[in-house]
Amino acid sequence: MSAARTPAGGRAGTMTGTRRLLVALAEQNRASIAPWVALITVLSASSVLVYPWIFPDAASRLELAATVGANPALGLIFGPARDLSTADGFNAWRALSLGGFFAALMAIFAVVRNSRALEDSGQAELVAAGVLGRGARLGAAVGLAALASVALGVVSALVTVLLGGSLVDSLTLSATFTASGLMFAGVAAVAAQLGSDARTASTLAVVALGSAFLLRGWVDAGGGAEWMRWLSPLGWMHEVRPAAGNHWLPLLAALGLSAVLVAVAVALQSRRDFGQGVVPVAPGPARGRAAATLTGFVLLLHRGPLASWAVAFVVVGAVFGTLATSVGELIAENPTVGVLIAAGGATEKSLVLQLVLTLLSLLGTLAAVLGVQVVMRLRTEEVAHRVEPVLGTAVPRSALLLRHALVALVAPAVAMLLGGAVLAWVAASQDASVGAGEVVAQSVATVPAAWVLVALALAAVGARPRMRMVGWAGVVASFALTILGPIFRLEDWVLGISPFWHVPDVNAAEPDLTGLVWLALVTAVLLVVAFVGFRHRDVD
């Protein structure tokens, strides 16, 4: 294909038109990027705002350090707590890991949506018909993600400082958000060249992010050697140590990695065909086979994500199983936990039990993410006008929704059992005090809590699809309440908003199963709302 010519008759360079395209993309994407910037800014700023109220004296701060140190699951999510005696140190512990993760997600979606997704929709072909260099679309998409990451860092730092954060500590912490966005903008740019379509590209980039997060968390929770922290780019961000040294060299390494990844993406783009990925798509079967039935059709629609999640739950279960037996080493190494033990606040056995319950709640939250993702796929099919042709046949609305609902409810249950079984096997093989059967039984008891969140998403998509984000909001709220609620000493009625709070300890001497009954009733009510709403509303 010959290069496009400029209005003056000259040939367009590789990056010709990048700036003008970037301005247009920034205008189109500002509404979708703003919530990410607001979310991460609130995550950081709220820490310095509430810290003096919740932890007003040295005793409460020492108790916080002991509680955090006694639970490796918190290290898995938030990273090491280097200094919880100041608001900036608390902010660094609470916001660095999650803020970087969300910034990376923002960058991934921005790059894929504005590069590969435009090829899938045909819009990129219209854009390429103008005076535009071959690398302009990718350059503009990466530039948009970079602008969003820088804007995130600036806004987060300003708001955090205004609410009481230290200038240097807040700037350093916010710089880690920006660096995380830049690194995974590069990852997404490479994935956009490898994947056969936008969905595959997003999956590749998100899997890379999830692997980096899990590896970093496993090391921080005490499961791996210190040097392994450098295998994950997200681990580099923890080595920046905001409010505990403020080391900026890892940020330079992040910039270098971003530049290398973008260069690789540019090289790959110049060697692939328009609309095709470096990894080719395998041709489908000549006949419909299982897709000839409605159930087979729905299963084929979801089989890719289901297979990926099955592998993910095996890996996560193995990692969690290793962590479940690490409390003994933690007590020996962490003096703050020793204070807790010495004060009679806990025993090693109760700490192990509490850790297993926390890990299973995290596993249940991941199971809910799987179910909600299945539900959202139904809405995606509807918006793409692929549901209406199906309903144009003899397929009733209730039958179509029922098939998707069954997949959305059964898949999390199977995944939960799979992950729980692996967790139980690994933990029991390393520590004889952990009963494998007890862990599996607790995994089964956690499934109804995940179903509530899936049913909430089904109710939103079925009755009011404009409110479908309620499904994801339920997952995020449950995660925050389950992990951070007890640390912030929230009232029981607030903690009870999370369905995982109602999961009983089924291995107790006299377990109270009332919570499971309530979870089942709420799930049933939400499913009724979903089916009634889907039957009566218009289909796009």
Side-chain angles (χ1 to χ4, degrees):
M1 184 176 66
S2 61
R5 289 183 176 278
T6 65
R11 289 184 181 278
T14 302
M15 304 304 291
T16 298
T18 302
R19 186 179 62 80
R20 298 185 66 177
L21 185 56
L22 175 58
V23 172
L25 291 182
E27 181 73 20
Q28 293 174 358
N29 287 267
R30 61 183 180 182
S32 59
I33 288 175
W36 290 99
V37 175
L39 170 67
I40 300 168
T41 299
V42 169
L43 181 67
S44 172
S46 62
S47 299
V48 297
L49 187 64
V50 303
Y51 181 82
W53 303 342
I54 301 178
F55 309 106
D57 50 40
S60 61
R61 294 170 187 179
L62 179 62
E63 183 184 352
L64 168 66
T67 303
V68 170
N71 196 334
L74 297 176
L76 176 72
I77 299 169
F78 299 103
R82 291 191 167 88
D83 183 8
L84 296 178
S85 64
T86 66
D88 290 302
F90 177 72
N91 184 27
W93 171 73
R94 179 172 174 258
L96 191 155
S97 185
L98 288 182
F101 183 83
F102 289 138
L105 273 182
M106 174 189 72
I108 288 172
F109 293 147
V111 171
V112 175
R113 182 173 59 246
N114 293 286
S115 58
R116 199 51 202 275
L118 294 183
E119 292 186 30
D120 296 348
S121 66
Q123 296 178 56
E125 200 165 9
L126 295 175
V127 174
V131 181
L132 202 69
R134 186 182 179 90
R137 285 187 300 104
L138 179 61
V142 173
L144 175 68
L147 280 178
S149 300
V150 172
L152 163 63
V154 172
V155 172
S156 172
L158 285 175
V159 175
T160 304
V161 170
L162 287 174
L163 292 181
S166 160
L167 176 61
V168 175
D169 294 341
S170 301
L171 279 174
T172 306
L173 175 63
S174 298
T176 65
F177 302 155
T178 299
S180 298
L182 293 176
M183 286 190 292
F184 281 88
V187 171
V190 173
Q193 314 313 313
L194 298 177
S196 56
D197 52 28
R199 184 181 297 278
T200 305
S202 295
T203 301
L204 290 173
V206 172
V207 167
L209 173 61
S211 301
F213 188 88
L214 188 60
L215 176 59
R216 192 278 311 154
W218 182 54
V219 176
D220 286 335
E226 279 294 312
W227 64 268
M228 297 178 70
R229 190 191 309 277
W230 294 95
L231 297 179
S232 167
L234 295 180
W236 303 357
M237 297 300 96
H238 282 270
E239 288 306 304
V240 174
R241 304 186 179 218
N246 295 324
H247 303 153
W248 285 70
L249 281 180
L251 296 173
L252 297 178
L255 289 177
L257 176 64
S258 305
V260 169
L261 289 171
V262 172
V264 171
V266 171
L268 290 175
Q269 188 188 45
S270 66
R271 289 167 173 78
R272 71 174 177 89
D273 293 332
F274 185 88
Q276 302 293 320
V278 173
V279 179
V281 181
R287 304 182 65 178
R289 298 180 182 174
T293 65
L294 180 59
T295 302
F297 168 72
V298 172
L299 284 175
L300 284 173
L301 198 63
H302 296 292
R303 66 176 178 177
L306 294 182
S308 302
W309 275 102
V311 175
F313 268 84
V314 170
V315 174
V316 172
V319 172
F320 282 7
T322 303
L323 294 181
T325 58
S326 63
V327 170
E329 297 176 4
L330 187 80
I331 293 173
E333 297 174 358
N334 195 328
T336 56
V337 181
V339 171
L340 185 66
I341 297 290
T347 64
E348 181 174 339
K349 185 176 181 180
S350 66
L351 289 176
V352 172
L353 175 61
Q354 186 59 41
L355 175 59
V356 170
L357 292 176
T358 303
L359 292 173
L360 289 177
S361 295
L362 289 176
L363 210 58
T365 305
L366 288 177
V369 171
L370 165 59
V372 173
Q373 185 184 39
V374 171
V375 174
M376 295 303 168
R377 180 64 188 271
L378 172 61
R379 178 59 183 169
T380 301
E381 293 295 302
E382 183 180 349
V383 173
H385 306 294
R386 291 192 287 264
V387 165
E388 195 168 7
V390 175
L391 295 177
T393 63
V395 175
R397 290 189 178 198
S398 58
L400 179 64
L401 183 60
L402 177 62
R403 299 307 191 280
H404 283 278
L406 285 175
V407 174
L409 293 172
V410 172
V414 173
M416 189 68 205
L417 292 178
L418 184 61
V422 173
L423 189 159
W425 176 69
V426 173
S429 64
Q430 296 182 1
D431 189 341
S433 66
V434 178
E438 296 176 351
V439 176
V440 172
Q442 192 64 39
S443 302
V444 174
T446 308
V447 171
W451 279 349
V452 170
L453 299 177
V454 177
L456 176 63
L458 274 167
V461 170
R464 293 291 179 88
R466 289 184 178 180
M467 299 177 64
R468 62 188 179 281
M469 295 309 295
V470 167
W472 290 120
V475 173
V476 173
S478 297
F479 169 79
L481 289 172
T482 302
I483 300 301
L484 290 176
I487 294 177
F488 285 127
R489 306 167 188 168
L490 299 179
E491 299 289 338
D492 283 352
W493 70 269
V494 179
L495 296 175
I497 295 174
S498 168
F500 295 99
W501 190 81
H502 301 278
V503 176
D505 178 5
V506 294
N507 298 304
E510 295 180 359
D512 182 5
L513 303 181
T514 307
L516 294 181
V517 175
W518 280 109
L519 293 175
L521 286 174
V522 172
T523 301
V525 170
L526 291 171
L527 289 177
V528 170
V529 172
F531 279 86
V532 173
F534 192 63
R535 182 179 180 182
H536 290 90
R537 74 171 173 85
D538 293 333
V539 173
D540 291 336

